[in-house]
Amino acid sequence: KAGVTQTPRYLIKTRGQQVTLSCSPISGHRSVSWYQQTPGQGLQFLFEYFSETQRNKGNFPGRFSGRQFSNSRSEMNVSTLELGDSALYLCASSFRGSSYEQYFGPGTRLTVT
Amino acid sequence: GESVGLHLPTLSVQEGDNSIINCAYSNSASDYFIWYKQESGKGPQFIIDIRSNMDKRQGQRVTVLLNKTVKHLSLQIAATQPGDSAVYFCAETASNDYKLSFGAGTTVTVRA
């Protein structure tokens, strides 16, 4: 089985712009979660989707949003980018959710200048 | 009281020795725990998991111990190899929480 794929792998944006990141889960997995990883804050939960429904959301401002499509692929969007949004954004997929094995993609490295 | 291993941000281990990585979790309601390994430039890789109805689980060269009384989790790696050099994270979740909460991570360096 192919693993979790994320596109793009690297991205450079300017403050004030917006960005959309994409995640394709492992085939058959219906749960997709997003995490932000920074040296200072570590791995922090952004949101989780299952069958196109958001089941949980982390403590991030409304500039961070996401969605899931009927084929389980997911996107996250960050509007009005700030320097502090520079991070590695990780997507993880699971058959049912966080209480089952979650497999992570390689991440998208976002740099905001 | 019982002695609980401290979380260390870094661990240096001689090749061939056993490694022990400690983690304290915060949520008493957590019932599923996972250890991940993250190598440079990659996403976290699943190592082993354990549910709260168990106190020990073994995999290939790895063992996870869970002490719910003191909310402590540990990962033991037997016969540590150079390929084990990475950052190790523990994560916890509760049923119907739909999110993982991660620990700070321990950087393991294996000395040849």
Side-chain angles (χ1 to χ4, degrees), chain B residues 23-90:
Chain B
C23 175
Y25 65 92
S26 56
N27 187 357
S28 299
S30 293
D31 57 7
Y32 179 59
F33 306 87
I34 315 100
W35 280 100
Y36 284 94
K37 170 187 180 183
Q38 187 174 25
E39 296 174 288
S40 182
K42 298 183 179 180
Q45 176 188 353
F46 177 93
I47 302 173
I48 191 168
D49 59 0
I50 189 168
R51 296 199 181 271
S52 58
N53 59 353
M54 303 173 70
D55 51 24
K56 180 179 180 178
R57 190 167 188 221
Q58 290 183 293
Q60 187 175 10
R61 282 201 308 118
V62 294
T63 300
V64 55
L65 299 177
L66 174 63
N67 185 329
K68 295 180 287 295
T69 303
V70 293
K71 293 192 289 186
H72 182 262
L73 196 66
S74 68
L75 177 71
Q76 300 176 2
I77 305 174
T80 311
Q81 303 170 357
D84 295 327
S85 292
V87 181
Y88 290 80
F89 294 96
C90 65

Side-chain angles (χ1 to χ4, degrees), chain A residues 9-10 33 35 37 42-45 47-48 55-58 88 90 96-107, chain B residues 31-32 34 36 38 41-46 49 51 57 87 89 92-104:
Chain A
R9 291 292 313 278
Y10 303 91
S33 300
Y35 294 83
Q37 186 174 28
L43 278 149
Q44 293 192 296
F45 171 76
F47 21 68
E48 190 264 5
R55 295 195 295 190
N56 200 353
K57 187 177 191 303
L88 181 67
L90 292 158
R96 289 191 198 172
S98 60
S99 292
Y100 299 84
E101 290 182 28
Q102 285 202 31
Y103 296 90
F104 282 82
Chain B
D31 57 7
Y32 179 59
I34 315 100
Y36 284 94
Q38 187 174 25
K42 298 183 179 180
Q45 176 188 353
F46 177 93
D49 59 0
R51 296 199 181 271
R57 190 167 188 221
V87 181
F89 294 96
E92 60 179 298
T93 187
S95 297
N96 300 324
D97 201 16
Y98 309 123
K99 71 172 186 181
L100 289 176
S101 296
F102 283 83

